[in-house]
Amino acid sequence: KSFLYKLWKGDVSSKMLNPRLQKAMKDYLNTNKHGVRFKGKRNSRLTGDQLFCEVKERVNVKTIDGKEAPFSTLGWEKHVPQIPLDKLYAHGFGSCAVVMSAGAILNSSLGDEIDSHDAVLRFNSAPTHGYEKDVGNKTTVRIINSQILTNPNHHFIDSSLYKDVILVAWDPAPYSANLNVWYKKPDYNLFTPYVQHRRKNPNQPFYILHPKFIWQLWDIIQENTKEKIQPNPPSSGFIGILIMMSMCDEVHVYEYIPSVRQTDLCHYHELYYDAACTLGAYHPLLYEKLLVQRMNKGLQDDLYRKGKVVLPGFRSVKC
Ligand code: C5P
């Protein structure tokens, strides 16, 4: 059976990846750049429903609130939005869409379905203009990594992609989640542009994710995976799925688990081919996807044809 078919069934291991990706994974394990020291057990064999409840119980979307050092000393309580992310929408959203940036979404004609949701989450510099038919044009939340804030090519300050949306930024911090260490040496220095942007646009909700939240997700992925996963943060896609599970009654995820349109085209908006974008090299992406596949409540046919996974929101299920 093909790799894709096995992925749909949740039955793949890293040994089935091409040698280049396997080598990259091994190198990341050896480097352990973020000083991951996993103390838990691997390979808990939870069912999909048990896994959902474990995730619901453990995951706590946390953003920098300015109350902890060094941010407290630096006066960040007045820089961060007054209303925390989880209080922005008192009643949350009904149904939500998480739109992955994968090349496989091209020619999907999913745009209308995506826009029919109450809220839509997109990632980094993924555009809608010119791609409406396949990805829709509504954006409620945009998750951006620290490179978007720091690389001038992305025009973070003036691009319309980052206006009139809730922004959620993140940066790989040490596994210890020591904020002092992170502040002194972020992967990319998002702190300065963040404060500048907050000063200029005080009414736009804009948050930085707390490293504890990111690594909490990593721990859950490792605990529920037999193999050793890359000791690097989960991808923006996985982070976004969990944020929406905490804000929405139902989450429809598009082209995370690849559909029949699977392609090595990395992004729908860029002519660049690399299997690592879909299967992971730096991020433990393959394992994230296997976890999400286990929790899928959607139709198999929607998975194949739309690349769609449906997950309940945390508040929709009593555990
Ligand atoms: O590349 P970027 O991080 O901006 O893409 C957003 C997210 O979409 C990724 O973090 C990943 O979870 C998902 N993605 C994917 N397959 C691709 C490209 C992106 O699953 N080919």
Side-chain angles (χ1 to χ4, degrees), residues 22 46 56 70 79 91 110 118 123 130 151 160 211 229 244 253 269 278 287 297 303 306:
Q22 288 192 45
L46 302 180
K56 170 179 161 160
H79 294 321
H91 307 287
L110 284 166
D118 302 315
F123 297 94
N151 182 335
S160 61
I229 71 170
M244 291 317 248
V253 183
H269 53 92
T278 305
Y287 306 109
K297 288 281 185 193
L303 181 58
K306 298 179 177 170

Side-chain angles (χ1 to χ4, degrees), residues 20 103 263-277:
R20 181 180 64 92
T263 164
D264 282 353
L265 181 65
C266 182
H267 295 127
Y268 64 81
H269 53 92
E270 216 173 30
L271 257 182
Y272 170 69
Y273 292 82
D274 187 349
C277 298

Side-chain angles (χ1 to χ4, degrees), residues 155-182:
H155 298 279
F156 175 64
I157 301 175
D158 27 77
S159 166
S160 61
L161 288 174
Y162 312 107
K163 292 192 171 53
D164 303 316
V165 296
I166 303 168
L167 288 176
V168 179
W170 73 279
D171 177 75
Y175 183 75
S176 66
N178 182 319
L179 300 183
N180 285 301
V181 175
W182 180 43

Side-chain angles (χ1 to χ4, degrees), residues 300-313:
Q300 283 301 93
D301 195 59
D302 280 348
L303 181 58
Y304 310 153
R305 294 200 348 228
K306 298 179 177 170
K308 176 164 95 164
V309 162
V310 182
L311 304 166

Side-chain angles (χ1 to χ4, degrees), residues 43-280:
N43 194 27
S44 90
R45 293 200 190 82
L46 302 180
T47 65
D49 290 343
Q50 290 170 329
L51 183 58
F52 174 88
C53 286
E54 172 75 11
V55 169
K56 170 179 161 160
E57 191 176 302
R58 297 263 300 275
V59 169
N60 172 26
V61 179
K62 199 171 150 63
T63 58
I64 297 296
D65 61 8
K67 292 191 171 90
E68 293 169 278
F71 301 104
S72 46
T73 325
L74 295 161
W76 271 51
E77 262 190 279
K78 64 176 193 297
H79 294 321
V80 303
Q82 274 182 11
I83 307 173
L85 179 58
D86 55 313
K87 301 263 154 52
L88 257 190
Y89 293 87
H91 307 287
F93 297 109
S95 101
C96 294
V98 177
V99 185
M100 297 301 165
S101 311
I105 206 160
L106 283 178
N107 300 313
S108 68
S109 299
L110 284 166
D112 287 340
E113 175 175 330
I114 288 168
D115 283 343
S116 74
H117 291 278
D118 302 315
V120 178
L121 172 67
R122 300 184 196 274
F123 297 94
N124 296 318
S125 61
T128 54
H129 185 70
Y131 300 93
E132 292 88 348
K133 191 166 171 291
D134 294 327
V135 307
N137 67 21
K138 178 171 174 171
T139 307
T140 316
V141 187
R142 196 174 275 277
I143 300 202
I144 52 179
N145 58 42
S146 46
Q147 294 173 53
I148 297 287
L149 286 99
T150 51
N151 182 335
N153 294 333
H154 288 297
H155 298 279
F156 175 64
I157 301 175
D158 27 77
S159 166
S160 61
L161 288 174
Y162 312 107
K163 292 192 171 53
D164 303 316
V165 296
I166 303 168
L167 288 176
V168 179
W170 73 279
D171 177 75
Y175 183 75
S176 66
N178 182 319
L179 300 183
N180 285 301
V181 175
W182 180 43
Y183 187 81
K184 274 189 215 130
K185 209 169 173 294
D187 211 17
Y188 293 87
N189 184 2
L190 76 171
F191 302 116
T192 313
Y194 174 78
V195 171
Q196 277 167 0
H197 191 281
R198 287 293 305 148
R199 284 215 174 96
K200 253 198 185 156
N201 311 275
N203 296 321
Q204 180 177 21
F206 184 8
Y207 305 89
I208 295 181
L209 291 172
H210 198 293
K212 269 194 185 148
F213 166 63
I214 311 262
W215 288 111
Q216 192 175 43
L217 298 184
W218 187 91
D219 283 345
I220 294 174
I221 302 166
Q222 180 60 92
E223 282 166 29
N224 292 286
T225 303
K226 195 156 148 193
E227 302 180 56
K228 276 198 171 168
I229 71 170
Q230 295 92 319
N232 300 323
S235 73
S236 298
F238 191 75
I239 293 170
I241 292 169
L242 280 119
I243 291 178
M244 291 317 248
M245 284 174 86
S246 74
M247 292 179 83
C248 311
D249 295 331
E250 193 168 83
V251 182
H252 296 235
V253 183
Y254 295 93
E255 282 296 355
Y256 186 53
I257 316 276
S259 68
V260 287
R261 293 179 299 274
Q262 188 202 23
T263 164
D264 282 353
L265 181 65
C266 182
H267 295 127
Y268 64 81
H269 53 92
E270 216 173 30
L271 257 182
Y272 170 69
Y273 292 82
D274 187 349
C277 298
T278 305
L279 300 173

